[in-house]
């Protein structure tokens, strides 16, 4: 394992090349308050058995990042110590330790940070409120895997830990990690940006690959959950090994490439660190995967490890998001000055003296393969490696310490401060670094946003070209992106064609991401919130096929201006005119034998009821209401009853004379002359009583029918109770049946006029009309229900007029010579044959 605490500056006086440990002067510096630092210095975790040129390049890149971050921490501490306002009179020290990118290695310095200050022991106490550990706070480590391990330790002691690179969403759980903070956005923000980018270009058929570590697995899980809710289908998801020296690593990489190639996707989302990403890109080129769009993150996009792959320009289009970080003024000058000072012998002599003071039993001062580095080696990386997160992490602790001590412009009180006391100030108060304000959110992170960058190649050298930004919303400068396609336009990556508005996705096969686009049916609409089905319209609305919204229904009823209504109303007028004409004609010849035989004044009453019955058709035209629905059946039944009640005495008179001659003299007085009116009145009162019962048992009511018509709401009068309906109209049927029975067998003696035939046919026509009416009326649920009712009323009225009154009107007008007492003598005026004999 590489030296955890201090590497001796061996050969430092030889000028360049220099040992990196000399560049930081010493890895431990005392102070009033000490900050622990965890940085990836060591290279022993890499397999350097075969020191090939590419492997050494990877090692140098990883080591360079760790060195730059360590120098950034030292630069921030020196700035704070030289500041006259932040911590005046107080100095910060540091312990910088190597993590070697290994959890077990990172655990050793973490345990040392927890030891009681001035000792090598960790106290086991019930109350740690007065416990003073070796460090006041910890900066780092960089990787999420290491932070998940160390954060549990530091959270147990409530020691603030501020990471400058760990982005795992798991670390956002403040209940599990109450003292963990980070100065980088979480993976959740990154995944949201990636999903928005996929939707921006319409890529809905993608593969996702992640490194088999906490960062890769966590980011992939977040991406899978967000992709499913944003109509993005995952053709393949897989993990690639992080330990490339394992025997199955190569086979696993090759299988991943084969599976990606079988899906025919054109977009690959890669969440991995630089070394696994480099291995995947290298195998994709070697196996002829073809040019794809690679979407990545800062973990590998800005690393020259990935760009060092031979023929990497042929991999396709590389896009990704990197943190939007600012510059740290004076840092590059600080590094240049430090390299110049390291070359002096007295600088390294001081480092040897400090290293000689360390406890060799605790510290491993032997550093294998420390490597040599010059200013020229790290200078290109100073503009690429983000150092602001480290700078902000150190300043966040310094600001919290400033508030905990109660510092003023004159100085800071020399009062003891425990680590846990810093948490309150880190949680609540913002702080400013180089004129930029920062604040930890509820999940103890800082979201500074992202830049969308493109790998642009210029003469074989990669340039990171900014082509967009993300800060809660995504902005892409599409015109600046040149894709690998022949026309330089974005490629398509779809398992399905994108459905048009008004279509929903119907899954086909076993893959939920492959589907057909199906039009929404009538009275359903497509909603952007649910693309897998069509939503039904509310009851009061309708929608055509393939609709994206619903329309309000219009009311449908038999209106006055409809052609059908106009035709029916014309027929109503003719029927009413015919009834009026017949009544006037009967009134003119009221005392004639024909009119007297037909019933005299009762015939006029019957014609009046028929006139009212024909006019009641107007109740069925126009917008129906509850009151109209109540009146429609009542008016029809009452008018029809008045007509049959007026004909009933004549029918009874005929049957008494013809069928019961012996009883006729005693009973005829009850159905003739004045007492016949009593029969009519009783019959009508009976119908009035039945109308009252109908109103209480179940009258017709207004129905708003939304099902019969596709685009309209049908307003009709519905039958609430068929029993009440039968009771209302049943009495009229009984009267018609009685009239029919009394007259259908009557024979006219001699050459007399057969008055019974008119009543018989009137009753018969009524029954025929009502048989058809009941069948149609019970089944119809459209506007034709009102039409059927009108036609029934008119047919009944015209049937009675045609069978009973029109023949008599014909005789009165065209054959007045027949209107004699001999031809139209009442049967009751004749003596029965039995009596004469």
């Amino acid at each position: 394992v590489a030296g955890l605490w201090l590497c001796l500056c061996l050969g430092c006086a030889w000028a360049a090349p220099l040992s990196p440990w000399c560049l930081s002067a010493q890895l431990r510096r005392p102070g009033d308050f000490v900050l622990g630092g965890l940085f990836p210095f060591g290279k022993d975790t890499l397999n350097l058995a075969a020191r090939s040129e590419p492997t050494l390049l990877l090692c140098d890149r990883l080591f360079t990042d760790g060195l730059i971050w360590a120098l950034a921490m030292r630069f921030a501490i020196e700035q704070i110590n030289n500041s006259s306002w932040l911590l005046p009179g107080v100095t910060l020290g540091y312990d910088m330790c190597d993590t070697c990118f290994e959890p077990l290695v990172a655990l050793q310095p973490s345990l040392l940070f927890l030891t009681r200050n001035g000792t090598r022991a960790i106290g086991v106490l019930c109350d740690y409120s007065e416990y003073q550990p070796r460090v006041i706070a910890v900066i780092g480590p960089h990787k999420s895997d290491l932070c998940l391990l160390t954060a549990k330790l530091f959270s147990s002691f409530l020691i603030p830990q501020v990471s400058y690179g760990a982005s795992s969403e798991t670390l956002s759980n403040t209940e599990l990690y109450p003292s963990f903070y980070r100065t980088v956005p979480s993976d959740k923000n990154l995944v949201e940006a990636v999903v928005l980018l996929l939707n921006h270009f319409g890529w809905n058929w993608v593969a996702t690959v992640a490194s088999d570590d906490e960062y890769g697995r966590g980011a992939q899980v977040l991406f899978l959950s967000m992709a499913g809710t944003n109509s993005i289908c995952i053709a393949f998801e897989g993990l690639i090994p992080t330990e490339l020296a394992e025997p199955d690593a190569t086979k696993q990489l090759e299988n991943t490439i084969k599976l990606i190639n079988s899906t025919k996707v054109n977009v690959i989302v890669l969440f991995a660190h630089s070394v696994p990403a480099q291995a995947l890109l290298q195998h994709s080129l070697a196996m002829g995967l073809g040019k794809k769009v690679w979407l990545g993150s800062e973990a590998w996009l800005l690393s020259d490890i990935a760009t060092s792959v031979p023929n990497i320009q042929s991999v396709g289009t590389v896009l990704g998001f990197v943190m939007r970080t600012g510059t740290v003024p004076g840092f590059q000058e600080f590094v240049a000055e430090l390299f110049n000072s390291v070359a002096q012998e007295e600088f390294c002599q001081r480092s040897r003296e400090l290293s000689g003071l360390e406890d060799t039993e605790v510290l491993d001062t032997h550093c294998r393969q420390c490597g040599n580095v010059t200013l020229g080696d790290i200078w290109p990386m100073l503009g690429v490696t983000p150092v602001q997160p480290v700078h902000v992490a150190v300043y966040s602790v310094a600001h919290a310490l400033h508030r905990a001590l109660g510092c003023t412009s004159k100085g800071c009180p020399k009062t003891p401060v425990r680590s846990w006391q810093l948490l309150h100030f880190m949680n609540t108060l913002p702080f400013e670094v180089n004129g930029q304000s920062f604040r930890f959110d509820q999940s103890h992170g800082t979201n500074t946003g992202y830049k969308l960058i493109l790998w642009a190649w210029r003469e074989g050298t990669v340039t990171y070209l900014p082509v967009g930004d993300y800060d809660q919303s995504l902005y892409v400068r599409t015109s600046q992106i040149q894709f690998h396609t022949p026309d330089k336009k974005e490629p398509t990556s779809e398992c399905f064609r994108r459905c048009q508005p008004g279509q929903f996705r119907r899954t086909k096969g076993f893959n939920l991401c492959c589907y057909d686009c199906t039009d929404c049916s009538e009275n359903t609409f497509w909603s952007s919130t649910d693309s897998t089905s069509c939503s039904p319209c509310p009851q009061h609305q309708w929608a055509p096929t393939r609709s994206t919204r619903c329309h309000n229904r219009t009311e449908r009823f038999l209106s006055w201006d409809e052609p059908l209504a106009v035709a029916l109303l014309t027929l109503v007028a003719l029927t009413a005119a015919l009834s009026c004409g017949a009544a006037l004609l009967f009134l003119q010849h009221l005392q004639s034998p024909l009119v007297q035989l037909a019933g005299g004044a009762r015939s006029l009453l019957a014609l009046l009821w028929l006139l009212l019955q024909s006019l009641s058709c107007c109740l069925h035209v126009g917008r129906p209401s509850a009151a109209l629905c109540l009146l429609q059946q009542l008016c029809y039944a009452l008018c029809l009853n008045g007509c049959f009640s007026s004909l009933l005495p004549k029918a009874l008179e005929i049957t008494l004379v013809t069928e019961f001659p012996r009883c006729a003299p005693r009973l005829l007085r009850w159905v003739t002359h004045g007492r016949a009116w009593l029969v009519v009145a009783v019959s009508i009162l009976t119908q009035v009583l039945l109308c009252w019962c109908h109103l209480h048992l179940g009258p017709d009511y207004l129905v708003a029918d939304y099902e019969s018509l596709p685009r309209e709401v049908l307003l009709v009068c519905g039958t609430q109770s068929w029993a009440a309906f039968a009771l209302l109209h049943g009495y009229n049927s009984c009267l018609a049946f009685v009239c029919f029975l009394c007259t259908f067998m009557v024979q006219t003696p001699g050459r007399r006029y057969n008055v019974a035939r008119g009543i018989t046919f009137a009753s018969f026509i009524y029954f025929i009309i009502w048989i058809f009416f009941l069948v149609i009326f019970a089944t119809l649920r459209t506007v034709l229900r009102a039409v059927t009712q009108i036609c029934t009323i008119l047919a009944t009225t015209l049937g009675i007029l045609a069978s009973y009154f029109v023949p008599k009107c014909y005789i009165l007008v065209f054959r007045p010579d027949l209107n004699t007492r001999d031809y139209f003598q009442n049967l009751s005026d004749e003596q029965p044959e039995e009596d004469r004999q």
Side-chain angles (χ1 to χ4, degrees):
V1 178
L4 297 176
W5 301 100
L6 182 67
C7 273
L8 295 177
C9 185
L10 304 176
C12 187
W14 300 346
L18 305 171
S19 170
W21 310 106
C22 294
L23 295 177
S24 55
Q26 66 266 11
L27 293 176
R28 184 176 186 189
R29 174 176 176 171
D32 297 323
F33 296 96
V34 178
L35 300 183
L38 297 174
F39 299 99
F41 293 131
K43 296 183 290 185
D44 285 6
T45 57
L46 301 174
N47 183 10
L48 301 180
R51 295 175 60 87
S52 61
E53 195 63 30
T55 305
L56 289 178
L57 179 60
L58 300 182
C59 299
D60 293 341
R61 177 64 179 95
L62 293 173
F63 173 75
T64 303
D65 283 342
L67 176 61
I68 292 175
W69 290 328
L71 293 177
M73 178 175 174
R74 175 182 168 179
F75 174 66
I77 291 177
E78 290 193 6
Q79 274 190 329
I80 294 169
N81 288 336
N82 294 330
S83 172
S84 60
W85 63 272
L86 188 54
L87 292 175
V90 176
T91 59
L92 293 180
Y94 55 82
D95 278 355
M96 293 187 185
C97 306
D98 185 12
T99 64
C100 294
F101 285 108
E102 286 289 343
L104 290 178
V105 177
L107 188 60
Q108 298 180 39
S110 299
L111 291 173
L112 190 60
F113 289 160
L114 296 177
T115 58
R116 191 186 298 271
N117 192 21
T119 69
R120 291 179 292 169
I122 300 176
V124 180
L125 306 174
C126 294
D127 184 6
Y128 284 93
S129 58
E130 298 299 324
Y131 186 81
Q132 184 63 57
R134 182 185 183 98
V135 298
I136 193 71
V138 178
I139 307 300
H142 177 262
K143 291 184 66 177
S144 297
D145 299 65
L146 306 184
C147 286
L148 286 172
L149 177 64
T150 58
K152 292 181 179 179
L153 289 175
F154 297 134
S155 293
S156 300
F157 289 79
L158 293 182
I159 298 177
Q161 177 186 3
V162 188
S163 174
Y164 51 87
S167 59
S168 173
E169 181 63 19
T170 306
L171 294 166
S172 297
N173 190 336
T174 55
E175 294 183 358
L176 294 178
Y177 311 102
S179 67
F180 178 82
Y181 298 82
R182 54 182 161 204
T183 54
V184 294
S186 71
D187 289 336
K188 182 179 180 180
N189 303 108
L190 172 65
V191 170
E192 288 175 351
V194 172
V195 169
L196 287 177
L197 183 63
L198 292 173
N199 285 332
H200 175 79
F201 288 110
W203 295 326
N204 48 35
W205 183 243
V206 301
T208 174
V209 183
S211 54
D212 194 6
D213 53 21
E214 179 59 32
Y215 166 74
R217 291 190 299 268
Q220 189 179 71
V221 169
L222 283 173
F223 175 71
L224 293 175
S225 63
M226 290 188 184
T229 58
N230 286 270
S231 301
I232 299 173
C233 296
I234 308 301
F236 170 79
E237 57 178 286
L239 298 174
I240 53 177
T242 56
E243 297 296 333
L244 301 179
E246 293 181 357
D248 295 335
T250 300
K251 183 178 180 180
Q252 187 174 349
L253 287 168
E254 291 176 351
N255 290 337
T256 300
I257 298 300
K258 291 178 181 178
L259 292 172
I260 293 176
N261 193 34
S262 65
T263 60
K264 308 298 182 182
V265 298
N266 288 325
V267 178
I268 303 172
V269 180
L270 177 57
F271 300 106
H273 288 288
S274 55
V275 176
Q278 180 266 348
L280 182 66
L281 293 173
Q282 186 174 359
H283 278 79
S284 66
L285 291 172
M287 297 178 64
L289 179 62
K291 292 186 177 182
K292 307 289 183 182
V293 176
W294 296 80
L295 300 183
S297 64
E298 190 171 4
W300 63 273
L301 276 176
L302 299 181
S303 172
D304 57 356
I305 295 177
T307 58
S308 65
V309 175
N311 198 28
I312 188 62
Q313 299 94 325
S314 302
V315 78
T317 303
V318 180
L319 284 167
F321 292 94
V322 298
M323 289 183 298
R324 188 189 295 123
T325 58
T327 59
V328 179
F331 178 65
Q332 293 186 358
E333 292 78 2
F334 167 78
V335 174
E337 182 180 352
L338 183 61
F339 266 89
N340 292 332
S341 62
V342 166
Q344 306 301 321
E345 173 58 28
E346 57 271 17
F347 185 91
C348 289
Q349 180 63 35
R350 183 185 175 192
S351 178
R352 294 192 191 97
E353 292 174 356
L354 289 173
S355 64
L357 299 177
E358 300 298 331
D359 190 346
T360 56
E361 294 182 4
V362 177
L363 304 177
D364 180 8
T365 59
H366 178 65
C367 179
R368 294 175 293 162
Q369 299 174 0
C370 285
N372 297 323
V373 64
T374 64
L375 181 61
D377 293 330
I378 70 169
W379 188 260
M381 302 311 302
L382 289 177
V384 177
T385 303
V387 296
Q388 188 190 40
V390 180
H391 197 71
V392 173
V394 176
Y395 266 89
S396 67
V397 176
H399 279 276
L401 192 58
H402 171 89
R403 296 181 180 106
L405 290 172
C407 298
T408 63
S409 57
K410 297 181 180 180
C412 296
K414 296 293 184 178
T415 57
V417 173
R418 303 291 181 252
S419 297
W420 58 268
Q421 294 176 308
L422 301 182
L423 298 179
H424 169 72
F425 301 102
M426 297 184 70
N427 288 338
T428 58
L429 297 177
F431 57 94
E432 189 173 301
V433 180
N434 296 327
Q436 186 176 356
S437 180
F438 295 89
R439 187 188 191 108
F440 292 111
D441 56 25
Q442 292 182 348
S443 59
H444 294 179
T446 58
N447 185 10
T448 57
Y450 293 92
K451 292 189 300 182
L452 177 64
I453 65 169
L454 169 71
W455 277 11
W457 295 92
R458 303 289 186 271
E459 297 180 357
T461 304
V462 65
T463 302
Y464 304 113
L465 178 65
V467 292
D469 297 280
Y470 172 75
D471 189 1
Q472 307 302 324
S473 60
L474 179 65
Y475 172 70
V476 182
R477 294 183 286 274
T478 310
S479 59
Q480 297 184 4
I481 304 178
Q482 292 187 351
F483 290 91
H484 58 270
T485 54
D487 58 356
K488 305 300 181 184
K489 300 295 183 180
E490 66 269 15
T492 59
S493 187
E494 298 176 320
C495 171
F496 51 86
R497 62 183 180 91
R498 186 168 294 274
C499 294
Q500 298 299 318
Q503 296 180 322
F504 71 97
R505 300 182 301 182
R506 186 185 298 277
T507 304
K508 59 180 181 180
F510 297 99
N511 196 324
L512 296 179
C513 296
C514 294
Y515 51 78
D516 292 324
C517 294
T518 306
D519 294 344
C520 290
S521 60
E522 197 172 33
N523 287 332
T524 62
F525 71 101
W526 176 79
S527 174
S528 58
T529 59
D530 183 11
S531 58
T532 59
S533 63
C534 296
S535 304
C537 290
Q539 191 179 46
H540 65 282
Q541 294 182 325
W542 72 279
T545 303
R546 193 172 174 177
S547 178
T548 58
R549 66 184 184 92
C550 294
H551 310 275
N552 291 327
R553 289 176 179 263
T554 57
E555 293 181 343
R556 181 73 173 95
F557 48 85
L558 186 61
S559 60
W560 294 92
D561 55 351
E562 286 189 43
L564 181 58
V566 172
L568 291 174
L569 290 174
T570 302
L571 188 58
V572 168
L574 293 175
T575 305
L578 183 60
S579 301
C580 290
L584 292 174
L585 190 60
F586 268 55
L587 181 61
Q588 183 180 1
H589 300 86
L590 184 60
Q591 300 303 324
S592 66
L594 175 58
V595 176
Q596 289 298 315
L597 180 65
R602 294 193 304 275
S603 296
L604 291 176
L605 179 62
L607 288 169
L608 177 61
W609 284 116
L610 291 178
L611 172 63
L612 294 176
Q613 180 172 291
S614 61
L615 293 178
S616 69
C617 294
C618 297
L619 297 175
H620 299 271
V621 183
R623 189 185 189 279
S625 63
L628 287 176
C629 289
L630 287 175
L631 292 175
Q632 286 175 0
Q633 297 298 329
L634 295 180
C635 289
Y636 176 41
L638 194 58
C639 292
L640 187 60
N641 177 266
C643 178
F644 278 121
S645 297
S646 300
L647 298 178
L648 179 63
K650 176 56 66 175
L652 295 175
E653 177 187 352
I654 293 173
T655 193
L656 285 174
V657 173
T658 58
E659 301 297 331
F660 306 98
R662 295 185 181 277
C663 301
R666 299 193 312 271
L667 299 177
L668 280 175
R669 64 178 179 270
W670 293 101
V671 293
T672 58
H673 306 297
R675 292 186 181 184
W677 290 99
L678 181 60
V679 175
V680 174
V682 171
S683 178
I684 293 176
L685 287 176
T686 303
Q687 183 63 49
V688 171
L689 180 62
L690 293 175
C691 289
W692 181 84
C693 294
H694 175 265
L695 290 176
H696 285 76
L697 291 178
D700 289 4
Y701 63 102
L702 181 63
V703 177
D705 184 2
Y706 294 95
E707 298 179 358
S708 298
L709 301 177
R711 303 183 181 184
E712 300 164 314
V713 51
L714 178 63
L715 299 180
V716 293
C717 294
T719 303
Q720 183 174 349
S721 171
W722 285 103
F725 181 88
L727 184 65
L728 179 66
H729 293 284
Y731 181 62
N732 287 333
S733 299
C734 292
L735 288 180
F737 187 65
V738 170
C739 292
F740 180 78
L741 287 180
C742 291
T743 58
F744 86 102
M745 291 293 291
V746 173
Q747 297 293 327
T748 304
R751 298 181 61 186
R752 303 290 179 86
Y753 178 78
N754 192 344
V755 69
R757 287 292 175 262
I759 299 176
T760 302
F761 281 111
S763 303
F764 184 69
I765 291 172
Y766 165 79
F767 282 120
I768 292 177
I769 292 172
W770 263 80
I771 290 173
F772 286 101
F773 166 72
L774 286 176
V775 174
I776 299 173
F777 188 76
T779 56
L780 276 180
R781 295 287 294 178
T782 65
V783 72
L784 294 178
R785 186 181 177 114
V787 175
T788 303
Q789 186 82 21
I790 294 174
C791 291
T792 302
I793 295 173
L794 292 177
T796 305
T797 304
L798 290 173
I800 296 174
L801 287 173
S803 61
Y804 190 77
F805 291 101
V806 170
K808 297 173 177 60
C809 292
Y810 174 80
I811 294 174
L812 291 175
V813 176
F814 298 103
R815 298 294 303 273
D817 58 298
L818 296 178
N819 190 3
T820 63
R821 184 175 181 81
D822 292 336
Y823 190 69
F824 292 107
Q825 182 179 7
N826 275 322
L827 295 177
S828 60
D829 294 338
E830 299 180 356
Q831 289 291 335
E833 258 184 52
E834 294 82 352
D835 293 345
R836 288 199 302 268
Q837 291 176 355

